[in-house]
Amino acid sequence: MRIAVFGAHNVGKTTLTEELLENLPGYTLETEPYYQLELSGYEFSENPTAEDFIEQFNYSVHLISESGDDVIFDRFVVDILAYLHVVDPNINIQSFFEKAQTLIAEIDLFVFVPIEEPDLMQDYQPDLAKLRSNVNDLLHDWISDFEIEVIEVKGTVLNRRNQVLDKISNPHLK
């Protein structure tokens, strides 16, 4: 099974993916494209730019295309595309949107981690709070635009983990 965990920054995606990895023997984790690119020497701008998100989008496409089964993706092309659109709404994202639509068929389970109320990360990176909120709102809209069937997880990391594991063991649960 291929699982994509997506959402805005600092909502607990990485913590959740690491928890899932510990509970799903035989699975591998594809860490967030940002970190993989950074490790390979890519230098990101101090402030997020469209070019940085295009690079991450293309790298994510590569990761999804090259990965096998039983993998968990920490980020998916849809949330990277949302960042691109929020950072520079004047960029024509149609070709990216179409590519994202084709990759959706490659994923078996989508896990959306939204900003919760109350926000557990209120004071973290206040300079990026508006970006985070706008991406979260856009992802809510795009879930229906892309016609993605998702499980939206909430609560503690253990609650979130259990929601995903329950969905895996009972795929017909809503």
Side-chain angles (χ1 to χ4, degrees):
M1 175 176 277
R2 301 171 92 199
I3 303 167
V5 179
F6 69 102
H9 58 283
N10 298 105
V11 292
K13 291 179 311 302
T14 299
T15 304
L16 175 59
T17 60
E18 291 168 350
E19 185 67 27
L20 289 171
L21 187 64
E22 288 182 24
N23 288 272
L24 293 170
Y27 275 72
T28 57
L29 174 63
E30 284 294 350
T31 58
E32 193 171 323
Y34 177 94
Y35 297 118
Q36 290 192 42
L37 284 165
E38 192 174 53
L39 282 172
S40 72
Y42 183 86
E43 292 188 30
F44 288 95
S45 303
E46 188 172 325
N47 294 314
T49 66
E51 292 76 21
D52 290 339
F53 289 113
I54 290 170
E55 190 71 26
Q56 290 176 72
F57 182 92
N58 290 331
Y59 193 81
S60 184
V61 167
H62 170 75
L63 288 176
I64 295 162
S65 300
E66 298 295 317
S67 71
D69 295 329
D70 296 338
V71 63
I72 303 165
F73 297 96
D74 184 353
R75 282 225 179 275
F76 184 63
V77 292
V78 172
D79 52 349
I80 298 169
L81 185 56
Y83 274 98
L84 173 60
H85 187 61
V86 170
V87 165
D88 190 346
N90 296 318
I91 289 182
N92 183 344
I93 62 167
Q94 186 60 39
S95 65
F96 296 108
F97 198 87
E98 290 168 2
K99 184 63 179 174
Q101 284 181 307
T102 64
L103 290 170
I104 287 170
E106 307 252 343
I107 303 298
D108 301 301
L109 178 62
F110 291 95
V111 180
F112 177 49
V113 184
I115 296 174
E116 293 192 52
E117 292 297 328
D119 187 349
L120 303 175
M121 299 289 208
Q122 286 178 345
D123 297 327
Y124 189 80
Q125 293 183 313
D127 55 327
L128 296 177
K130 184 146 182 70
L131 173 64
R132 181 174 175 257
S133 176
N134 289 343
V135 166
N136 185 73
D137 293 345
L138 186 57
L139 286 171
H140 272 286
D141 293 342
W142 279 3
I143 287 170
S144 62
D145 290 350
F146 277 109
E147 299 177 350
I148 302 172
E149 182 180 328
V150 303
I151 175 174
E152 185 173 318
V153 295
K154 294 186 178 180
T156 67
V157 67
L158 296 180
N159 288 346
R160 293 172 178 190
R161 178 205 65 198
N162 291 340
Q163 291 166 47
V164 175
L165 294 177
D166 287 348
K167 180 67 175 178
I168 291 169
S169 59
N170 300 299
H172 301 292
L173 285 178
K174 290 287 181 184

